[in-house]
Amino acid sequence: MLFKDIIGQAAVKQHLAEMVQQNRLSHALLFLGKEGSGALPLALAFAQFVICQPNASEPVADLFGGFTPMEAGPAYISPEDIHSQPAFARAAQLMHPDLHFSYPVIPKKAGDKPISTDYISEWREFIQQYPYGNVYDWLQFIGAENKQGNITVRECNEIIHKLSLKSFESDYKVLVMWMPEYLGKEGNILLKLIEEPPPNTLFILVAENDEQVLPTILSRCQLVKIPMPEDAEIERALIERAKANPDTAKQIAAIAEGNYREALQLLQHAEEDWQSLLRDWLNATLKGGPLAQIKFTAEISELGREKQKQFLRYFNHLLEMSIRIRVMGSEQVAAGDQERDFANRLNKIAAVSQQQAIIEELDRASYYIERNANAKMLFQALTLKLYHIIQNKTLILNG
């Protein structure tokens, strides 16, 4: 994986390259980026970039008992040229002997104490297919269903063992740990290794929420913040990589808000008429009465979790557009005619404070859907909350 394969992130890429070029590389980095930002593929590209740098020249013994320095090779290879290095092919396939990985896993059978290498074949396949996937995608990919992933004590001990060995080919040994949020207190086993690692050992931790990372580990890492890509970068990626229609790509990029994983999910269901579904929901909520509400709840509960989340995200998108139109004026907000009309209608039925309250409820509902909430119960409760927020101007506040 090359830097050019990562969507956007020009400033971060430049910063990372300069750290290597100027020999300012910290021994422990924490790549912090929200889902769909590209933090994981960027970490992998950077790990491969470091691993494939030329080895330092060493003097060799000559025939007369002295030492003759080898001809110095290039001290630094740029990200644009790193693919020309002999080791790059193996690094790109995640098969380089000095490149190690750690990620949440599940037991293959009852009583197992799994480690990441038990799933290395699946990991390579997952990265190939879903480089912007999230931890839910990964756990489903390995058949976790409702099982909780974990980074175990045995895994931590395995990391200590692997990184204590001498590197095979590269000057560096690199460990990429994805989702250190899944480290329990047993992660403190790694503290001494992270604080005082063997020479030329690099830790790259990739997290979505720094508040869920052990503070003792967090304090020992240099933070590298990964921002969300710009809408224009997501739009261009959808057109060039996913072969999306330009109009569809533009609309999806506006909804996805920099989350490329979400953008791909939306593209997969681009034929869905979310606007009609939303119109039906609001009519059932505000005019239809209990029978219409129950009918809608039954229909949407059949859609499946991913589509339900996308539907709520689309509603959020229109609400945010409504607020922007109210503040900036209709002509200053880029939108299609149908979306603009719908957003203006939302402005007629709800004030800004009500729209913000609805956005909070939709975000909360998405959170619960992600955690396998009962869809019928959730949407029935959400429908009642929307009714009270809009009709009774009641702001629902959950503790």
Side-chain angles (χ1 to χ4, degrees):
M1 192 172 291
L2 297 166
F3 276 10
K4 68 178 183 179
D5 298 324
I6 313 304
I7 299 168
Q9 312 298 352
V12 180
K13 292 173 187 175
Q14 182 179 350
H15 172 63
L16 293 172
E18 288 174 353
M19 287 171 64
V20 176
Q21 183 179 18
Q22 299 170 12
N23 198 26
R24 294 187 291 107
L25 188 59
S26 172
H27 64 275
L29 302 173
L30 176 69
F31 282 45
L32 182 63
K34 294 180 180 178
E35 173 194 300
S37 64
L40 176 59
L42 182 57
L44 293 173
F46 181 61
Q48 293 162 15
F49 172 61
V50 171
I51 282 286
C52 294
Q53 289 296 316
N55 290 352
S57 298
E58 296 179 358
V60 295
D62 61 27
L63 294 175
F64 304 97
F67 286 88
T68 304
M70 295 176 62
E71 183 179 347
Y76 169 79
I77 300 293
S78 71
E80 294 77 16
D81 298 323
I82 200 69
H83 65 280
S84 64
Q85 290 296 101
F88 181 77
R90 278 170 294 132
Q93 295 173 37
L94 311 185
M95 299 178 69
H96 193 287
D98 297 316
L99 183 56
H100 308 285
F101 304 98
S102 181
Y103 34 80
V105 291
I106 58 168
K108 290 195 171 184
K109 59 183 180 181
D112 271 1
K113 295 180 179 178
I115 57 176
S116 296
T117 49
D118 295 339
Y119 290 90
I120 190 61
S121 296
E122 292 89 341
W123 175 250
R124 290 167 180 150
E125 186 178 352
F126 176 77
I127 295 300
Q128 182 71 26
Q129 294 183 30
Y130 310 106
Y132 280 76
N134 64 10
V135 71
Y136 170 78
D137 298 330
W138 162 243
L139 291 175
Q140 295 309 301
F141 190 82
I142 60 174
E145 297 179 351
N146 293 326
K147 295 176 185 175
Q148 178 70 39
N150 193 20
I151 298 178
T152 63
V153 174
R154 185 182 168 210
E155 171 76 5
C156 293
N157 288 326
E158 184 74 8
I159 289 170
I160 293 171
H161 171 70
K162 285 189 290 193
L163 296 185
S164 66
L165 300 175
K166 191 178 186 300
S167 60
F168 286 86
E169 296 179 14
S170 172
D171 272 353
Y172 282 92
K173 293 171 291 183
V174 180
L175 172 77
V176 177
M177 177 180 283
W178 185 46
M179 299 302 292
E181 295 96 322
Y182 282 75
L183 271 174
K185 291 184 178 179
E186 59 271 13
N188 286 316
I189 298 171
L190 298 174
L191 291 182
K192 184 172 178 58
L193 182 65
I194 294 175
E195 192 165 19
E196 300 177 9
N200 289 358
T201 299
L202 174 61
F203 289 87
I204 304 176
L205 280 61
V206 187
E208 292 180 1
N209 187 344
D210 56 337
E211 293 181 359
Q212 295 178 10
V213 179
L214 286 171
T216 46
I217 288 181
L218 191 64
S219 65
R220 287 162 171 79
C221 296
Q222 178 181 340
L223 184 62
V224 179
K225 290 186 177 181
I226 313 299
M228 302 303 286
E230 300 291 335
D231 287 359
E233 293 169 335
I234 295 293
E235 180 183 344
R236 185 163 57 251
L238 288 172
I239 294 170
E240 295 176 355
R241 303 182 186 201
K243 310 304 179 187
N245 174 281
D247 291 337
T248 302
K250 187 177 185 66
Q251 183 183 44
I252 288 175
I255 299 172
E257 297 178 337
N259 184 335
Y260 189 60
R261 175 195 179 270
E262 186 72 21
L264 292 176
Q265 293 283 337
L266 288 166
L267 181 63
Q268 187 178 349
H269 303 291
E271 74 282 357
E272 301 288 346
D273 188 356
W274 297 129
Q275 197 171 119
S276 294
L277 187 62
L278 178 55
R279 186 180 295 108
D280 292 344
W281 189 21
L282 291 175
N283 283 334
T285 300
L286 302 177
K287 301 177 182 178
L291 289 179
Q293 293 168 10
I294 291 171
K295 181 174 180 290
F296 173 83
T297 299
E299 289 175 358
I300 198 165
S301 65
E302 298 297 323
L303 288 183
R305 184 162 65 176
E306 285 299 324
K307 286 188 177 182
Q308 290 163 4
K309 286 165 53 185
Q310 288 166 24
F311 171 62
L312 294 179
R313 193 174 185 96
Y314 181 73
F315 191 5
N316 253 342
H317 164 67
L318 287 182
L319 286 166
E320 290 166 358
M321 183 186 296
S322 299
I323 294 173
R324 289 198 299 272
I325 286 174
R326 193 188 295 267
V327 173
M328 301 167 57
S330 183
E331 299 306 317
Q332 300 300 316
V333 177
D337 291 339
Q338 287 187 334
E339 283 196 341
R340 190 190 309 277
D341 179 65
F342 204 110
N344 281 319
R345 290 173 184 271
L346 289 174
N347 275 334
K348 292 178 181 178
I349 67 172
V352 171
S353 60
Q354 293 168 292
Q355 291 170 340
Q356 289 174 332
I358 294 171
I359 288 172
E360 290 177 10
E361 292 298 335
L362 297 178
D363 286 341
R364 191 175 291 113
S366 293
Y367 173 86
Y368 289 128
I369 289 171
E370 186 74 48
R371 283 148 185 81
N372 292 317
N374 181 288
K376 283 187 178 180
M377 294 176 64
L378 184 144
F379 276 96
Q380 188 62 45
L382 188 55
T383 299
L384 293 174
K385 288 179 178 180
L386 294 188
Y387 176 84
H388 286 292
I389 290 171
I390 296 172
Q391 291 288 73
N392 299 338
K393 297 182 172 55
T394 301
L395 304 186
I396 306 295
L397 298 176
N398 288 347

